[in-house]
Every structure is written in structure tokens, then in C-alpha cells.
Amino acid sequence: MTRRVRRKVAKKGKDDAVSLSYLEIEVEDLGLERNGNVDWTSLPDDTVIQLFSCLNYRDRASLSSTCKTWRVLGASQCLWSSLDLRAHKFDTATATSLASRCMYLQKLRFRGAESADAIIHLQAKNLREISGDYCRKITDATLSVIVARHEALESLQLGPDFCERITGDAIKAIALCCPKLKKLRLSGIKDVYADAINALAKHCPTLVDIGFLDCLNVDEAALENVSSVRFLSVAGTSNMKWDVVSHLWHKLPKLIGLDVSRTDIGSAAISRLLSSSLSLKVLCALNCPVLEEETSISTTKTNGKLLLALFSDIFRELSSLFAETSNKGRNMFLDWRCSKNKDKNLNEIMTWLEWILSHTLLRTAESNPQGLDNFWLKQGAALLLSLMQSSQEDVQERAATGLATFVVIDDENASIDRGRAEAVMRDGGIRLLLNLAKSWHEGLQSEAAKALANLSVNANVAKAVAEEGGINILAALARSMNRLVAEEAAGGLWNLSVGEEHKAAIAEAGGVKALVDLIFKWSSGGDGVLERAAGALANLAADDKCSMEVAIVGGVHALVMLARNCKFEGVQEQAARALANLASHGDSNSNNAAVGQEVGALEALVQLTRSPHEGVRQEAAGALWNLSFDDRNREAIAAAGGVEALVTLAQSCSNASPGLQERAAGALWGLSVSEANSIAIGREGGVAPLIALARSDAEDVHETAAGALWNLAFNHSNALRIVEEGGVPALVHLCSSSLSKMARFMAALALAYMFDGRIDEFAPMSSSSESTSKSVSLDGARRMALKHIEAFIRTFSNPQAFAAAAASSAPAALAQVTEKARIQEAGHLRCRFHSLILFPPGCIPDSFVLFT
């Protein structure tokens, strides 16, 4: 039995050009054999072309090389009418290799000056549309050559970043070379002078859409001469003479839409334009501070024209363009797209409005001016979500980027506005973004993933993303061959992996392997993707099961490779943090030993403690601290110069963050478990900085500094150094005043071991007077220490028990108090000291299980 399907097929037209049409055919067998396998070579031509249309140009060209038939189909005109080169390296060599396929190319998107230089080598003389971004370095010469080779050009857009090296001379070249030009949008031109504009008026009779956005100077009077213009935008342009504008531009006979958003226009100019222009239908003035501050604007008569501003109900204003009552409310754009309206003028207005609204909302989100919270919550978020459903791909991308941007209130600290993020979630934004992320357009994938990543900083949004299947989508995008897509997807997994409840789901979706593979794939030239991948792995490695998965798929080698070879501080910091977390699970898995055994790992981490960036130093010290759990690692760190490096670090971090101080002292604490390392730390000058850190205001630093000094005090030379460097008052202060019970306990231990009698025996011999003075000094320090030890112990024990224990020695007294004290803070310590604890049998407290 056969079935009838309607499918696209390739048909040859004039000049043997291949186009797509629909044909009803009978399908009996598409190469499906009895065993269910597909013979791809037997697929109909139209099916192959449909498959090719879902691939980027690089994959399409690669697949075309597999056989002669597919090579012919892969060169079909319908597959090469549009080309998006933004995500790929596009130079002269690449352009030359693609030239044979670009005879019928009509639409091109590129990124950067190198790509702009290579465009002419495509030999695409039939190009109709060129759109470029990252255009700061593009020069007049480059742009002039491009337009000279593409005389059929109808649309040229460069932005939204500023075209700093393009002048009015290039605009004159555009006018002379492209007589069919209909749309010209340029951003950030310093001076659009009269001769350039007059050249457009003279040589481009069909020019209907002009955008000089974020320019420094535009000749207002000359624009009156472009009588063909229907849509005009000067959004963000400064130094405009609005009095001149209001007296001249209303004379433009065909002007329908005018965009003056993000300028200093006032109500007087707005009123004159609305009242004087006979053709004007829409005036967009979003984020115009002068206009919004003038109270008189509320009484301005619009004469049936639309005025879109922050103080207006934008959806309601736009709805008035439609005769049908169904086009109301926030679904207005969607209703318009789905309608069968054949009004050409209305469709042109709506298409232009989508473009200028997406541009203005993105620019406003980037500048993040104060006082717009109400607008974003009531209208802005809904507008961006509506624009995300546009049929214009660049509008969709800007809307998604706008969502990613407007929620961020502190980029450096990754803080987002909770209200804005949850407004996106309430309006169905998560599902819309996930649908965009599943698009085969890589530009949409990238921007949607970026928005999902930023929004997922909010725990509620992260939960919604996970529940909607976002983890699987992001894990799939992380495998993309497009670096920009993979980078944003890795950022999404990084933020989602903050939540403990999402880590297992990421691992189950193959996210761990995808992240590790990213590191190997972009090991050079991809700092952004490497930082995000390493950051996500660092979060995942904090989970015991996920840390094992990281190790199984080669994550240890990948992260060590980054720590050794990458020079970007963001990557170094996250790689070190990931290695620290991998090594934090003690005996529950073997990752601690595995990291230490990886070639170059310990040496790289020691080297990173010398980084000029505090975050890198902090994470490297933390990794060394955790790695010092393992006996072999501990000695290997010392052999790699770890003692000297960490002492230097401790000496330099007296004014650093508490996190760095804690890890520097903690790493020395870990190394000092070894007697040889303890002696080396004292010899290298480690006692003084540890005493300084013991005086820190942070409780966590108290604990690590006191712990390190406690270990050092076992050695008589170090004990004497602690006394000589003023350590007794510092430890006494901790013992009596620290808010951390653990710090108080270890300070008491350090004082007790310092004065157990050995310090007198091994004190260096000197002259009689010096000996007497030193003896008095030691006696005073001993009395001070034992007084506060007694006070500390009495806090937890009864006087009779203390007196009995104190009859033998101070350490025994402390052994007695540990049997009584229950210090919960002990549970978070990351180092074990079983070889140094001298508690009598039966006196080890339950809360010190790590010390067994």
C-alpha cells in the first residue's frame, strides 16, 4: 500500500538554476530495507536537499563531498541563496573555496574586518543583502571595494557596534555604486555630512529605509532631500538640531515611520512633527529622557498618529493600526503574523517596527539606565518575548540578546534582577527560548542559550528550565561545532550546575562528557568557551558522583592541561577550582590521588599561586590544600616548590580577601602535617605570616592559621619562632575571643604544645644576661598561655576534672576537655592529622572523626 505525501522537490528553471517547489508523489520505498537500515544514497533528491538546508555551510560542503550525486545536489541554488558566516573563521582562502557555490548567493551575514575583506573573493555578484557586525575596524576602503563589486545590492546593514573607521566618503561610494539600494542602516558613524546624504538622494531613487544610528553628527537639513525615504531612524544619534528637524522633516512626502529613540528630543519637536507631517503614521521615541521629564507631553495631540514612548501603552498604541478588534493586547504581533492581511503598507510598518523596537530595547538594556524597572516589568519583557517570535531572524536574535541583557544588574558579580527574570518566566519566556535553542539557525541557538544561561542564575528560573527539558537541550548544544553556540550552552550548564538538584540531571544528559570534550576541541583560541566549560566542571566536581564521572571521561587530564597551558586568568581560575573540588572528596573516591599523579598537575598549581590575579591564586592554593590530604601529594607538592610558593603567598596576602587568606593558611596547614615540611615552613619564614593571618577578622582564617601554627608548634624550633614573632598574644587572643570554637580549640592546642617543656630544653644557649632575659620572656609567655588555656577549658569542663588533668601536662588537660567539648565546626575541616594528635586512648571526641 502506498501513501501520498506533499514534499519540496528541486526543479530546474532558467539557466539551469535549481529551485524548490512542491510536488505530490507516491512513496513506496525510501531505501528502507527489511532490517530497518537506511540506504542514504537512495533517498530522493528533494529529501537530500531538505536535509542539506538544515546544515551550516561548513557541514553542507563536507557532506557534499561524500559522493558525486550529493556534490551536485549540494551545489543547488536554493541551498546557497543565503550564507551566515558569523560563527566561523572566514578569510580569503575560505571565500575562494566557497566561490563556486555562491553564483546565486543573495543574502550574506558576516562578522569582523577580516571577513569583510574576504567577501569579494566569494564572487557573488548577485548579492542583494549584506549584514555585518563587529565592524569597528572596517575601513572606507574595504567598504568601497565591497559595494563596487556588488552593484545589485539592495540592503546594507552594519552594526549595532560602532563603525568607527567609516566616514561619509564610504557613504558616497555606496550611493555611486548601488543605484538599486533600498535599505541602508549604519551605526556609529562619526560624521554623516551633507554631500554623502545628497549623493544618496541623487543616485539611489528607491532608497526607502535609512538608519543612521548612534552617530555623532548627521546633517539634518540634507536628509530633507531624500524624498524617497519612508522609514527613517536616528536612534541614539547625538548633536541633533531638533528645531531644524521639526521644521524640515515634516516635508518628506513619503515618510511613514520615524525613530528618534535614545536621543535628547523634546516635546516641542515631537508636537510639531506630529501636527505638521501629512504622511507620518508612527513616531517612536523610546528612552528619551528630556521628553519623559516634560509634563506637557501628556497633553500633546497626536492627530491620529502613533507616539511610542516609555510612558505610553505600546501594545495598545500598536493595536490601533489594525481595523480588526482581534489585534489587541500582548498578542498583537503574533495576531498580525498569523493574519492573512494583504495590506502592504501595514506589513511594511510592522516589519520596520519589529526591527527598530528590537534594536532600541537591546541598546536600552545594555546601558541599563536607572528608573526603568516599571517599564521592563509591565511592557519591556513582554515586548522582547513577542519580538522573539518574529519572522525576521535578526529581530529574534536581538530580542533574545535583550532578554539575556536586561535581567543582569551586576555583570561582574553575576547578579540578576529577580523580578525581571521571573517576569520572563511568567510570560512563557522559558519555553520560547528553548524553542529558539532548538532552531537549526546557529545564531538563534547562541542567543537563546545566552539568555537561558543568564536567567538560570535565578534558582526559580533554573528549576523551570530543568523542568522544561532545558538541560538536555543545552547539553546537546554544548556538542555543537559552532564555538559561539557551544560557549553559551556551556555557560547555561555552568549556571544550572550551581543547584545541587541539577547536577545529576546534567550528568545523565551527557553534559559532563560534552564539557570535557569542549576543552579538548577548543584548547587554543577559545578562552570564553574554556572558562565556561571549566566553571561548569568545577561545580559538578563538588558532587561525589559527578566528580567520578568527570574523571572517567578524561576531565582530570583536560583540566590539568588548562592549568598548565592556558594564559587567560578566567580559565586558570576555573580550572584550579575544578581540580580543588575533584580533590575534595577524601576517601570516597580516588580523584585526589589521580590529580596528583597527572603529569604536571602539582607543578602547574604551584606556579598558579604566583599569578598576578587574586582569584587564580586563591583557587590554586585551595587545590593544593585539598591535595595535601594525600601523603604522596603532600611530599610531591613540597618537591615542586610548594612550601616556598605558599609561604610567599601567605606573606603577600595580609590585605587580600578572606578567601585567599584562608586557603593560603590552609595549604600550609596541610603541608605541615609532614615533619619535614613543618621544618621547611619555619625555615622559609612561614611563622610570621601565619601569626599575621591569625589576627584576621575572618573566622575561617582564624581556624586555618591556628591549625597551621598548631602543627608547626610540634617542632621545638618553630615553637620558639612563634614566641619570638609575637605568636603567643595572637594565639591567646584567638583562644579567648574568636567567634569560632574550632579556632579557639586549635589555638589552645598550639599554646599547650608550645609550652610542654621542650622549648626550654632546646632554647639556644646564650650569655647569662641574655639567658635570664629570655627565660623571663618564656616564663611570661608560658604563664599567659596556660592562663588562657585554663580559661578555655573551664568553658567546657568542670574545675575538678581540669585540676586532675593539669597535674600532669597541658596536653593531657586538653585531651580531657576534648572528651567533654562538642565542637560542630570541626566537621568542615579538610585536612587530617592522625600522626600528630596525642589524645590518650578513649579521649578522642565524637566530633573529630576526621582525625582518626
Side-chain angles (χ1 to χ4, degrees), residues 448-502:
K450 180 191 298 182
L452 288 166
N454 287 0
L455 288 163
S456 294
V457 172
N458 178 278
N460 292 331
V461 177
K463 181 180 179 181
V465 171
E467 291 175 346
E468 293 277 1
I471 289 176
N472 286 316
I473 293 172
L474 289 171
L477 292 180
R479 303 183 187 98
S480 173
M481 293 299 293
N482 183 318
R483 181 177 60 81
L484 297 178
V485 175
E487 179 175 321
E488 300 302 345
L493 294 175
W494 186 2
N495 287 342
L496 284 167
S497 63
V498 171
E500 294 296 326
E501 66 274 23
H502 304 314

Side-chain angles (χ1 to χ4, degrees), residues 330-331 333-334 337 381-390 396-397 399-400 403 423-439 444-445 447-449 451-452 455 464-465 468 470 473 477:
R330 296 191 174 190
N331 292 324
F333 278 105
L334 184 60
R337 296 183 199 110
L383 279 168
L384 288 170
L385 292 174
S386 184
L387 293 170
M388 251 174 31
Q389 302 170 74
S390 170
Q396 288 181 298
E397 287 184 21
L403 283 176
V424 173
M425 182 172 62
R426 283 194 305 272
D427 289 340
I430 303 306
R431 174 44 51 191
L432 289 175
L433 286 167
L434 290 174
N435 287 339
L436 274 191
K438 291 189 288 186
S439 165
L444 296 179
Q445 292 175 354
E447 298 307 322
L452 288 166
L455 288 163
V465 171
E468 293 277 1
I473 293 172
L477 292 180

Side-chain angles (χ1 to χ4, degrees), residues 156-441:
L156 176 63
Q157 300 184 69
L158 300 179
D161 48 303
F162 295 174
C163 304
E164 296 175 344
R165 302 176 66 180
I166 293 177
T167 70
D169 293 344
I171 296 175
K172 290 176 67 175
I174 294 169
L176 292 169
C177 296
C178 305
K180 297 180 180 180
L181 194 67
K182 296 179 180 179
K183 182 187 299 179
L184 177 65
R185 293 169 178 164
L186 303 175
S187 295
I189 309 295
K190 290 183 179 178
D191 188 12
V192 185
Y193 52 77
D195 285 351
I197 296 174
N198 289 331
L200 291 172
K202 180 179 180 180
H203 298 288
C204 302
T206 60
L207 183 59
V208 298
D209 189 336
I210 296 177
F212 294 130
L213 303 101
D214 296 294
C215 296
L216 189 60
N217 291 290
V218 174
D219 192 293
E220 307 89 347
L223 278 170
E224 182 197 5
N225 299 325
V226 190
S227 59
S228 61
V229 68
R230 303 183 68 205
F231 301 101
L232 175 60
S233 176
V234 290
T237 293
S238 54
N239 300 315
M240 296 290 293
K241 300 180 181 67
W242 294 113
D243 186 59
V244 174
V245 167
S246 61
H247 281 90
L248 293 179
W249 287 7
H250 74 273
K251 299 177 183 178
L252 289 167
K254 298 180 181 179
L255 185 65
I256 297 175
L258 176 61
D259 178 21
V260 295
S261 299
R262 300 183 294 111
T263 65
D264 58 356
I265 194 170
S267 59
I270 291 286
S271 298
R272 191 173 293 115
L273 286 167
L274 290 172
S275 61
S276 302
S277 176
L278 298 178
S279 58
L280 189 65
K281 292 186 177 181
V282 180
L283 200 164
C284 187
L286 290 171
N287 193 20
C288 296
V290 174
L291 177 66
E292 290 148 14
E293 290 173 3
E294 296 179 0
T295 56
S296 60
I297 189 62
S298 60
T299 61
T300 298
K301 295 182 179 181
T302 61
N303 297 314
K305 302 176 176 66
L306 267 64
L307 174 60
L308 305 182
L310 293 182
F311 50 75
S312 61
D313 186 332
I314 295 174
F315 284 105
R316 186 175 66 181
E317 292 291 330
L318 292 176
S319 296
S320 66
L321 288 171
F322 300 88
E324 302 92 339
T325 57
S326 59
N327 289 303
K328 300 291 183 181
R330 296 191 174 190
N331 292 324
M332 182 270 307
F333 278 105
L334 184 60
D335 290 344
W336 162 67
R337 296 183 199 110
C338 296
S339 70
K340 298 180 180 179
N341 195 314
K342 302 300 182 182
D343 187 333
K344 181 180 178 181
N345 288 335
L346 178 60
N347 290 340
E348 288 180 349
I349 291 172
M350 293 300 294
T351 300
W352 177 75
L353 279 171
E354 283 190 333
W355 196 93
I356 62 109
L357 285 173
S358 66
H359 187 278
T360 290
L361 290 173
L362 174 56
R363 280 300 200 199
T364 303
E366 289 172 340
S367 61
N368 194 25
Q370 298 295 316
L372 292 189
D373 282 348
N374 189 56
F375 167 75
W376 286 121
L377 293 175
K378 290 189 175 181
Q379 297 193 81
L383 279 168
L384 288 170
L385 292 174
S386 184
L387 293 170
M388 251 174 31
Q389 302 170 74
S390 170
S391 59
Q392 302 179 72
E393 185 180 341
D394 56 344
V395 170
Q396 288 181 298
E397 287 184 21
R398 274 195 298 274
T401 307
L403 283 176
T405 306
F406 96 107
V407 297
V408 179
I409 55 177
D410 185 352
D411 191 28
E412 191 163 331
N413 295 314
S415 299
I416 69 170
D417 186 283
R418 177 178 178 181
R420 296 180 187 181
E422 295 186 354
V424 173
M425 182 172 62
R426 283 194 305 272
D427 289 340
I430 303 306
R431 174 44 51 191
L432 289 175
L433 286 167
L434 290 174
N435 287 339
L436 274 191
K438 291 189 288 186
S439 165
W440 62 271
H441 291 285

Side-chain angles (χ1 to χ4, degrees), residues 30 37 45 90 97 146 150 184 249 266 417 446 452 489 532 563 644-645 648 691 693 720:
L30 293 180
N37 294 327
D45 291 352
F90 179 67
S97 68
I146 290 174
H150 303 97
L184 177 65
W249 287 7
D417 186 283
S446 174
L452 288 166
R532 288 163 173 77
E644 296 86 347
T648 300
I691 292 172
L693 292 177
L720 189 58

